[in-house]
Coordinates of all heavy atoms in Angstrom, one line a residue:
I1 N 80.2 0.1 124.0 CA 81.1 0.3 123.0 C 81.6 -1.1 122.5 O 81.8 -1.2 121.3 CB 82.4 1.1 123.5 CG1 81.9 2.5 123.9 CG2 83.5 1.1 122.5 CD1 81.4 3.4 122.8
E2 N 81.7 -2.0 123.3 CA 82.1 -3.4 122.9 C 81.1 -4.0 122.0 O 81.4 -4.7 121.1 CB 82.3 -4.3 124.2 CG 82.9 -5.6 123.9 CD 83.3 -6.4 125.1 OE1 83.0 -5.9 126.2 OE2 83.9 -7.4 124.9
V3 N 79.8 -3.7 122.2 CA 78.7 -4.2 121.3 C 79.0 -3.6 119.9 O 78.8 -4.3 118.9 CB 77.3 -3.8 121.8 CG1 76.3 -4.1 120.8 CG2 77.0 -4.5 123.1
L4 N 79.3 -2.3 119.8 CA 79.6 -1.8 118.5 C 80.8 -2.4 117.9 O 80.9 -2.6 116.6 CB 79.8 -0.2 118.6 CG 80.2 0.5 117.3 CD1 79.2 0.3 116.2 CD2 80.3 2.0 117.6
A5 N 81.8 -2.7 118.7 CA 83.0 -3.4 118.2 C 82.7 -4.7 117.6 O 83.4 -5.2 116.7 CB 84.1 -3.5 119.4
L6 N 81.7 -5.4 118.2 CA 81.3 -6.7 117.6 C 80.9 -6.6 116.1 O 81.2 -7.4 115.3 CB 80.1 -7.3 118.4 CG 80.5 -7.8 119.8 CD1 79.2 -8.3 120.5 CD2 81.5 -8.9 119.7
Y7 N 80.1 -5.5 115.8 CA 79.7 -5.2 114.4 C 81.0 -5.0 113.6 O 81.1 -5.5 112.5 CB 78.8 -4.0 114.4 CG 78.5 -3.6 113.0 CD1 77.4 -4.2 112.3 CD2 79.2 -2.6 112.3 CE1 77.1 -3.9 111.0 CE2 78.9 -2.3 111.0 CZ 77.8 -2.9 110.4 OH 77.5 -2.6 109.1
W8 N 81.9 -4.3 114.1 CA 83.1 -4.0 113.3 C 83.9 -5.3 113.0 O 84.4 -5.5 112.0 CB 84.0 -2.9 114.0 CG 85.1 -2.4 113.1 CD1 86.4 -2.7 113.1 CD2 84.9 -1.5 112.0 NE1 87.1 -2.0 112.1 CE2 86.1 -1.3 111.4 CE3 83.8 -0.8 111.5 CZ2 86.3 -0.4 110.3 CZ3 83.9 0.0 110.4 CH2 85.2 0.2 109.9
H9 N 84.0 -6.2 114.1 CA 84.7 -7.5 113.9 C 83.9 -8.3 112.8 O 84.5 -9.0 112.0 CB 84.7 -8.2 115.2 CG 85.6 -7.6 116.2 ND1 86.9 -7.3 115.9 CD2 85.5 -7.3 117.5 CE1 87.5 -6.8 117.0 NE2 86.6 -6.8 118.0
F10 N 82.6 -8.2 112.8 CA 81.8 -8.9 111.8 C 82.2 -8.4 110.4 O 82.4 -9.2 109.5 CB 80.3 -8.7 112.1 CG 79.4 -9.1 111.0 CD1 79.2 -10.4 110.6 CD2 78.7 -8.1 110.3 CE1 78.4 -10.7 109.5 CE2 77.9 -8.4 109.2 CZ 77.7 -9.7 108.8
V11 N 82.2 -7.1 110.2 CA 82.6 -6.5 108.9 C 83.9 -7.0 108.5 O 84.2 -7.4 107.3 CB 82.5 -5.0 109.0 CG1 83.1 -4.4 107.8 CG2 81.1 -4.5 109.2
D12 N 84.9 -7.1 109.4 CA 86.2 -7.6 109.1 C 86.2 -9.1 108.7 O 86.9 -9.5 107.7 CB 87.2 -7.4 110.3 CG 87.5 -5.9 110.4 OD1 87.1 -5.1 109.7 OD2 88.3 -5.6 111.4
A13 N 85.4 -9.9 109.5 CA 85.4 -11.3 109.2 C 84.7 -11.5 107.8 O 85.2 -12.4 107.0 CB 84.5 -12.0 110.3
V14 N 83.7 -10.7 107.5 CA 83.1 -10.9 106.2 C 84.1 -10.6 105.1 O 84.1 -11.2 104.0 CB 81.8 -10.0 106.1 CG1 81.3 -9.9 104.6 CG2 80.7 -10.5 107.0
W15 N 84.9 -9.6 105.3 CA 85.9 -9.2 104.3 C 86.8 -10.4 104.0 O 87.2 -10.6 102.8 CB 86.7 -8.0 104.6 CG 87.8 -7.7 103.6 CD1 89.1 -7.8 103.7 CD2 87.5 -7.3 102.2 NE1 89.7 -7.5 102.5 CE2 88.7 -7.2 101.6 CE3 86.3 -7.0 101.5 CZ2 88.9 -6.8 100.3 CZ3 86.4 -6.7 100.2 CH2 87.7 -6.6 99.6
L16 N 87.2 -11.2 105.0 CA 88.0 -12.4 104.8 C 87.3 -13.3 103.8 O 88.0 -13.9 102.9 CB 88.3 -13.1 106.1 CG 89.3 -12.5 107.0 CD1 89.4 -13.3 108.3 CD2 90.7 -12.5 106.3
V17 N 86.0 -13.5 104.0 CA 85.3 -14.4 103.0 C 85.2 -13.8 101.6 O 85.5 -14.4 100.6 CB 83.8 -14.6 103.6 CG1 83.0 -15.4 102.6 CG2 83.9 -15.3 104.9
V18 N 84.9 -12.5 101.6 CA 84.8 -11.8 100.3 C 86.2 -11.8 99.6 O 86.3 -12.1 98.4 CB 84.3 -10.3 100.4 CG1 84.4 -9.6 99.1 CG2 82.9 -10.3 100.9
F19 N 87.2 -11.5 100.3 CA 88.6 -11.5 99.7 C 88.9 -12.9 99.2 O 89.4 -13.0 98.1 CB 89.6 -11.1 100.8 CG 91.0 -11.1 100.3 CD1 91.5 -10.1 99.6 CD2 91.9 -12.2 100.6 CE1 92.9 -10.1 99.2 CE2 93.2 -12.2 100.2 CZ 93.7 -11.1 99.5
T20 N 88.6 -13.9 100.0 CA 88.9 -15.3 99.5 C 88.2 -15.7 98.3 O 88.7 -16.2 97.3 CB 88.6 -16.3 100.7 OG1 89.4 -15.9 101.8 CG2 89.0 -17.7 100.3
V21 N 86.9 -15.4 98.3 CA 86.0 -15.8 97.2 C 86.3 -15.0 95.9 O 86.4 -15.6 94.8 CB 84.5 -15.7 97.6 CG1 83.6 -15.9 96.4 CG2 84.2 -16.8 98.6
V22 N 86.4 -13.7 96.1 CA 86.5 -12.8 94.9 C 87.9 -12.8 94.4 O 88.2 -13.0 93.2 CB 86.0 -11.4 95.2 CG1 86.3 -10.5 94.1 CG2 84.5 -11.4 95.5
Y23 N 88.9 -12.6 95.2 CA 90.3 -12.3 94.8 C 91.2 -13.5 94.7 O 92.2 -13.5 94.1 CB 90.9 -11.2 95.7 CG 90.2 -9.9 95.6 CD1 89.2 -9.6 96.5 CD2 90.4 -9.0 94.5 CE1 88.5 -8.4 96.4 CE2 89.8 -7.8 94.4 CZ 88.8 -7.5 95.4 OH 88.1 -6.3 95.2
L24 N 90.8 -14.6 95.5 CA 91.7 -15.8 95.5 C 91.0 -16.9 94.6 O 91.6 -17.3 93.6 CB 92.0 -16.2 96.9 CG 92.7 -15.3 97.8 CD1 93.0 -15.8 99.1 CD2 94.1 -14.9 97.1
I25 N 89.9 -17.3 95.1 CA 89.2 -18.4 94.3 C 88.7 -18.0 93.0 O 88.8 -18.6 92.0 CB 88.0 -19.0 95.2 CG1 88.5 -19.6 96.4 CG2 87.2 -20.0 94.4 CD1 87.5 -20.0 97.4
G26 N 88.1 -16.7 92.9 CA 87.5 -16.2 91.7 C 88.4 -15.8 90.6 O 88.0 -15.6 89.5
R27 N 89.7 -15.7 90.9 CA 90.6 -15.4 89.8 C 91.2 -16.6 89.2 O 91.7 -16.6 88.2 CB 91.8 -14.5 90.4 CG 91.3 -13.2 90.8 CD 92.4 -12.3 91.4 NE 93.3 -11.9 90.3 CZ 94.6 -11.8 90.5 NH1 95.1 -12.0 91.6 NH2 95.3 -11.4 89.5

């Protein structure tokens, strides 16, 4: 289950990058 949680943490970490690039820097 912890291995699956690693994927979920990855998805969350990617969102931080997407949020920063698209909604903060990109505006």
Side-chain angles (χ1 to χ4, degrees):
I1 298 296
E2 192 171 4
V3 171
L4 177 55
L6 290 175
Y7 176 83
W8 194 256
H9 291 311
F10 165 70
V11 168
D12 287 0
V14 167
W15 178 249
L16 281 176
V17 175
V18 172
F19 178 81
T20 301
V21 168
V22 173
Y23 296 96
L24 298 180
I25 296 172
R27 288 182 71 216

